[in-house]
């Protein structure tokens, strides 16, 4: 369960306006920690983009580029024509959310419960993930 302080994370927008993670409370959150330097992160990105395109009306997507160079992130997004919202953390990440490996993905309920934590790359655009998101309350 996330606390208010876990949500207090300043985010510098790369392809979207700056935000705070707390702006996304009250809606299902797909939170992914990744890096453009990380091969498994790059490998799973197309499936995240596809999931984003089909679920962005139901789910907030926040992808946080870690240990990364802003220009390299912009280049990666532009080259692949990715539109999923990407940020760089502009304040410390809480212990609760801090990733140990990259990528790390959380699916968080609108009331702040961590429903899924996935360490490592995954295919996010599959029937099981879609069914899982569809089963969650709007």
């Amino acid at each position: 369960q996330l606390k208010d302080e876990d949500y207090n994370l300043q985010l510098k927008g790369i392809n979207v306006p700056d935000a705070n993670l707390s702006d996304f409370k009250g809606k299902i959150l797909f939170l992914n920690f990744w890096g453009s330097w990380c091969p498994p992160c790059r490998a799973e990105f197309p499936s995240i983009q596809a999931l984003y395109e089909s679920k962005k009306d139901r789910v907030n997507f926040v992808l946080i580029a870690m240990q990364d160079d802003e220009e390299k992130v912009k280049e990666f997004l532009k080259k692949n024509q990715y539109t999923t919202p990407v940020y760089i953390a502009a304040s410390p990440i809480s212990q609760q959310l801090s990733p140990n490996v990259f990528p790390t993905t959380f699916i968080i309920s609108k009331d702040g419960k961590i429903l899924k934590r996935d360490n490592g790359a995954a295919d996010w655009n599959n029937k099981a993930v879609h069914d899982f998101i569809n089963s969650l309350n709007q």
Side-chain angles (χ1 to χ4, degrees):
Q1 179 75 41
L2 296 186
K3 299 182 184 77
D4 286 348
E5 55 265 28
D6 296 316
Y7 277 104
N8 187 17
L9 175 58
Q10 278 303 121
L11 300 168
K12 181 183 192 313
I14 300 296
N15 58 353
V16 287
D18 293 354
N20 188 292
L21 194 60
S22 63
D23 300 341
F24 303 104
K25 279 168 88 168
K27 206 170 175 197
I28 300 161
L29 177 61
F30 182 97
L31 177 63
N32 175 275
F33 294 93
W34 70 290
S36 64
W37 49 267
C38 157
C41 302
R42 291 197 307 266
E44 79 171 355
F45 213 110
S47 73
I48 293 174
Q49 177 68 34
L51 182 67
Y52 170 72
E53 286 169 9
S54 68
K55 297 295 181 199
K56 61 185 172 193
D57 56 331
R58 295 195 58 177
V59 178
N60 282 311
F61 284 75
V62 174
L63 279 68
I64 300 178
M66 302 287 288
Q67 302 163 9
D68 220 326
D69 175 72
E70 193 174 326
E71 285 312 307
K72 286 187 179 138
V73 175
K74 284 180 178 167
E75 238 170 73
F76 173 77
L77 296 175
K78 188 176 174 197
K79 189 178 103 188
N80 296 288
Q81 299 179 322
Y82 292 139
T83 56
T84 310
V86 172
Y87 303 88
I88 288 179
S91 64
I93 297 164
S94 77
Q95 195 62 48
Q96 179 83 323
L97 292 174
S98 194
N100 305 322
V101 298
F102 298 103
T104 293
T105 305
F106 295 89
I107 296 179
I108 299 167
S109 72
K110 55 186 180 183
D111 58 359
K113 280 194 183 72
I114 296 173
L115 304 173
K116 191 169 176 48
R117 178 189 178 129
D118 226 60
N119 296 327
D123 172 10
W124 290 103
N125 190 37
N126 66 48
K127 185 178 179 339
V129 173
H130 283 267
D131 289 350
F132 178 71
I133 288 172
N134 292 342
S135 76
L136 301 173
N137 295 331
Q138 288 283 332

